[in-house]
Every structure is written in C-alpha cells, then in structure tokens.
Amino acid sequence: MPGPTNRPVGRRAVVLGATAVVGAALTGTGHAAGFGHTDDGSHYVVDTGAQLVFKVSKSTGDLTSLVYRGTEYQGYGGMNSHIESGLGASAVSIKQSGPTILISVTHGTLKHYYAARSGENNIYLWTDKADTSVSATRYIVRVKKGAFLNDEPDSYTYAPTAIEASDVFRKPDGQTRSKHYSRRRVMDYDHIGWSAGGVGLWMVRSNHEKASGGPFYRSLLRHQSADGGGLYEILYYGQNQTEAQRFGLQGPYVIAFTDGGAPSPALFPGTLTTPWADSLGIPGYVPASARGRVAGVGISGRDTAYPYTVGLANAAAQYWGPARSSDGFFSVPGVLPGTYTLTVFKGELAVYTTSVNVSAGSTTTLNTIAIPSSNDPSNASAIWRIGDWNGTPGGFKNADLMTYAHPSDVRAASWTGNVVIGDGETAAFPCYLWKDVNSGILVYFRLTAAQAAAAHTLRIGVTTAYANGRPRVTVNDAWTSAVPSPPTQPNTRSLTNGSYRGNNHTFTYSVPASAWKTDTSQYNVLRIDVVSGSGASGFLSAGTAVDAIDLLA
C-alpha cells in the first residue's frame, strides 16, 4: 500500500512519519477548528475537527455512525459497530479534557471507552472485561455494503454451500471461505482494513497484553459478506485456544481513517504512546512510567535459518518481541510489573524457558541466553527426517493453504498418497492427518545392515490435535506401538478453521531391532494411523497437525 499515512486534513495537516505524527497529532494541545461534541438526544456526536464525525448511542454504547469526508461508512445488515454483538442497555457518559473527548460505557462489570483527539481521524478504544459475566470477546467495526472491495483470500463471501457449521462456505469454483481464515498470526500484523478511492479504513490492534494465545495465535481479523464487511479487534477468542482467558483493561486499539495509505506507524502496538490518556481516569489504565522492560544481550545456540521470538507470559498478561537475527538481542517494552515465564521460540517451537521479574520504571537485563543443544530436537542425529522441528507444519503438503482455506478446498493437493524417503518426502507428506481421511499413510525407507541390527527411537512431533487424535505406528507389520496418551490440546475446531497452533508435543516410540528388515535392498515400511474414540467424520474426525517426523540414529 502507498506510503503517506494517517494525515489529518484541514487546519492541522501533519508532516508524515512516526516522529512528526507523535509530536503533532498524538500529543498536541491545540484544538482543530470544529473539534467538540454535541448531544442529539439519542447520541453523543463527536467532531474530531479533522474529517471524521462519529456517533455513540447514549443507551447502548454502540458506535452508530462513522462519517469521513462526508460519507457514511458505518453499518451493514442494520447493525451497529460494538462490543461482541452489542451490549444492550448501558450507562454512557461523555467528558472533554482539553483536546481529548472520552466516552465511557458501563454494562454490568464491563467497561468500554471511546476517545477522540483534536485534529485526528482516529477513534481510540479500550475495553475492560472483569469476568465472564459479559461475553465480550471482540470489537467489530461494521462497514456498509459497497464501501470497499475485498478479494483477499480471507474474504468471508457467502456462497451457495455451507460445508461446515454455519461459518465455512464453498464457492461454485470449489474455493472455500470463512471469517476464520486470516493467514496471519497476531505477531504478523499491526493493522487490518481496506483502501479504495483515496480512503483507508483500518483497525489498528492493541498490544494484546490481556488477550490469550501468545504471539502465534490466529483469529478473526476481517470479513466481507453480501451485505457489508467487518473489522475485528479480538479481545479473547476461544477457537483453538491454548490459554485461559485473561481479564482487565485492553487497549488502546484504534479505528483509523486515512487518505488511502496504511495508518501511521505511530499508532502501532509497541510504538504508540498515550501520555494524553494518563490523566483521563480510566480504571486499570497503566501509564508507560509504571511499566518495565525485559532485554537480553543475546541468544546463543540458535539455528540461524529460523527466526526466534521471545515471549513473556503469566496469568495476568502476555508480551513478545523478535530476537535480532545477527546475535539474538531482544527487547520487550511496556510490560506490567510482575513475574513472568520467559520462553524462547525457534520458529514456533519452545526451546528455552526461564523466569524473570519486571519492575515499574526499570529494565530487567539478561545476560546471553545459551540454548542447550538438547533443547532443539533438530540437533539429534537422525537416519532420516521429514520436515524440521520448528513448531509448525511448514513445508508439508498443503501447509500454507490451510491458514486460509478448508481442507476440502479445490486448491488442496490430495491428502492421501505414500511417501518415500529420499524422494521429496516433506513436500509429499500431508501437513494434517485424520482418522477418516488419510490415516494409514505409509513411509518407505531403507536401512543399512548396521542400522537394521539396532533398536531406534521414532519421533513424531505435532502442533495441535482435534478430538484427541494421535498417532499409533506399525513397522513392517511386525511391530505396533501402544496407543499413546493424548496430550492436552484445545477442545474446539482447529484444522478446519485455519489454525495449526495448539500445544506442541512429541510422541516417541522405541522400535526394537526385531521390527526391521535385514535385507538392506528392501524397503522398511512405517504405517502411521490416527487413533481416537472421539470426533465426527471426514475432516471433523480425530486429527492432528505434523511438525516433524524422524528416526534417530
């Protein structure tokens, strides 16, 4: 998308670029012409003094109107923009503090806030969910039909055939669509939205410190349907979730209008500072001065072919940041005080953990973290290996497609077919295995006489499982493993709604020497079956996603 970004127009045109925008647009004290709010009886009407006027219902806290440059963008299907599907009767109030207008919404134990700044085409939002009494897991901006075209692969276009539940559809050409299909992990995006005709409408996500699932989590981002489109900020999403729900104030996240370009990087999580919000009296709001930072000098023992990520998590909050490719240096700012589990990920595979304490206003500095060789399963000597140990099914057949399509999609290669070691085995091996679809896949390989004379360990790494699906193996019809116990995994759909991310787990099998063929000219045959007493049928039968498979020397 083109470069120039979040540019208030009129009396307060701002020089583009992060530093200028922060100084002039985010922390300024002047008032743009027209800035202010009125009460039309049913709504609080806010004019930002730029080119954005919006309305918030005084009875529900719904956002009922988004007028930018005189055009209404709000609304599809007769619905407003709001928390979840709308809170209903709520207490709504408004106040102005200099160049900031704050609207507060209270619904039971849930509190929600809208803030506008003079001269900006942005709406800042915070949501404070205290408990499960209110089902508030998202904010959705509902955009009216025809405002933007969307041909992205994650487009939620209604089609004649619903093929799973009421949220996965097949188009006449055989391609599949669902609002679940986003392609992106949380760490992969700062904003999501549309641009057309010199107008951009974006949802800039928060830092997700009170969300769950970590940096690699995937959830709804946007969709377009027959009657409009939606942009989401997911506060908590239960699909394929690996963590308990966190509670507390989340935000700010931002609804941003632009002149067609991407929103200003000054709004992005990790960059946005809101000193102007420090004095607004939002309960649970923690200013930058009361937060800390975790920094590491470096990480040794890395496989430089892979990116590394450092995550922090406890029951109250989560954070993450990339490790520098050259030396593994990392810095994770804006952390609430507390004790956290620090995890180093190779790709998406945890290879190191420790505990760190974070204090307000200070940096916790760690010496170089040395990852023990044994912590990375790739370092084990293997006779053969399918894929690599990086916590994802990347490189396996259909792996890339599965983040934005259903397994039945016409673009998917056949889920069946056997594999020969030494003949493109990773690309030939399916990323997912199901009890009803491709259980019993065969892997052919040869052993030397010395290898066939010894017992070996077989490892199968998985990234998630559905309905307790797990692998049982048979070698040469001469030896069959016991049925392994199922590891803890999410209890919702996963493989069919665009996510392979669950709890990484490695199954190990001790194969005795008696199982191997002694004729070195013959292939040994490994059969992998998916076993479980749960699940439905087809692609909703018990299944699992594969990280790597190897036979150790």
Side-chain angles (χ1 to χ4, degrees), residues 184-241:
R184 298 172 178 87
R185 306 167 300 178
V186 173
M187 67 178 292
D188 294 333
Y189 73 97
D190 295 305
H191 63 281
I192 195 75
W194 296 293
S195 177
V199 174
L201 172 55
W202 313 97
M203 175 68 83
V204 182
R205 72 165 173 85
S206 70
N207 66 357
H208 277 219
E209 69 181 0
K210 296 293 185 178
S212 298
F216 314 123
Y217 191 68
R218 300 173 189 268
S219 63
L220 287 70
L221 296 181
R222 65 178 174 183
H223 75 258
Q224 184 170 340
S225 60
D227 51 1
L231 299 178
Y232 295 89
E233 165 69 343
I234 298 297
L235 309 175
Y236 175 79
Y237 193 47
Q239 289 281 343
N240 211 37
Q241 182 58 253

Side-chain angles (χ1 to χ4, degrees), residues 203-499:
M203 175 68 83
V204 182
R205 72 165 173 85
S206 70
N207 66 357
H208 277 219
E209 69 181 0
K210 296 293 185 178
S212 298
F216 314 123
Y217 191 68
R218 300 173 189 268
S219 63
L220 287 70
L221 296 181
R222 65 178 174 183
H223 75 258
Q224 184 170 340
S225 60
D227 51 1
L231 299 178
Y232 295 89
E233 165 69 343
I234 298 297
L235 309 175
Y236 175 79
Y237 193 47
Q239 289 281 343
N240 211 37
Q241 182 58 253
T242 58
E243 294 184 298
Q245 185 170 182
R246 294 181 172 95
F247 299 104
L249 186 70
Q250 295 201 62
Y253 49 104
V254 187
I255 301 169
F257 280 93
T258 72
D259 57 4
S264 167
L267 299 177
F268 295 168
T271 302
L272 174 63
T273 59
T274 54
W276 50 266
D278 294 358
S279 60
L280 293 180
I282 298 176
Y285 176 88
V286 180
S289 60
R291 296 171 176 269
R293 177 189 298 265
V294 176
V297 172
I299 302 172
S300 64
R302 293 172 297 118
D303 180 342
T304 56
Y306 291 91
Y308 281 70
T309 302
V310 176
L312 302 174
N314 62 20
Q318 62 170 8
Y319 307 90
W320 57 82
R324 193 161 60 195
S325 60
S326 60
D327 56 8
F329 168 83
F330 62 90
S331 178
V332 184
V335 181
L336 294 173
T339 299
Y340 293 85
T341 296
L342 180 150
T343 303
V344 178
F345 297 92
K346 169 198 173 185
E348 296 183 16
L349 183 67
V351 292
Y352 182 85
T353 61
T354 189
S355 180
V356 295
N357 294 312
V358 179
S359 300
S362 65
T363 297
T364 300
T365 303
L366 304 177
N367 293 325
T368 297
I369 293 174
I371 301 173
S373 177
S374 59
N375 284 19
D376 184 346
S378 295
N379 291 328
S381 178
I383 297 171
W384 53 260
R385 177 170 292 145
I386 305 175
D388 197 8
W389 297 90
N390 63 3
T392 82
F396 285 88
K397 183 166 62 174
N398 293 327
D400 289 343
L401 180 66
M402 288 301 96
T403 63
Y404 61 94
H406 190 268
S408 66
D409 195 287
V410 68
R411 293 168 290 180
S414 172
W415 288 103
T416 58
N418 300 321
V419 175
V420 179
I421 298 298
D423 187 21
E425 58 270 17
T426 298
F429 198 99
C431 62
Y432 298 162
L433 300 173
W434 289 272
K435 186 176 181 179
D436 271 11
V437 176
N438 54 357
S439 182
I441 191 169
L442 302 180
V443 178
Y444 294 87
F445 59 97
R446 290 189 174 99
L447 297 176
T448 66
Q451 291 166 342
H456 295 283
T457 296
L458 176 75
R459 303 187 298 184
I460 300 179
V462 302
T463 67
T464 193
Y466 176 69
N468 287 330
R470 65 264 195 205
R472 179 174 61 183
V473 301
T474 299
V475 177
N476 294 322
D477 290 328
W479 177 86
T480 300
S481 72
V483 176
S485 299
T488 300
Q489 295 289 5
N491 60 3
T492 64
R493 287 180 297 164
S494 53
L495 308 181
T496 59
N497 69 358
S499 179

Side-chain angles (χ1 to χ4, degrees), residues 487-545:
T488 300
Q489 295 289 5
N491 60 3
T492 64
R493 287 180 297 164
S494 53
L495 308 181
T496 59
N497 69 358
S499 179
Y500 57 77
R501 176 78 271 127
N503 294 312
N504 287 100
H505 180 81
T506 301
F507 295 94
T508 60
Y509 311 85
S510 298
V511 184
S514 60
W516 311 122
K517 291 184 177 180
T518 56
D519 184 346
T520 58
S521 67
Q522 293 184 321
Y523 279 107
N524 288 271
V525 183
L526 168 68
R527 176 186 172 105
I528 304 174
D529 292 292
V530 177
V531 294
S532 175
S534 303
S537 61
F539 293 112
L540 288 178
S541 64
T544 193

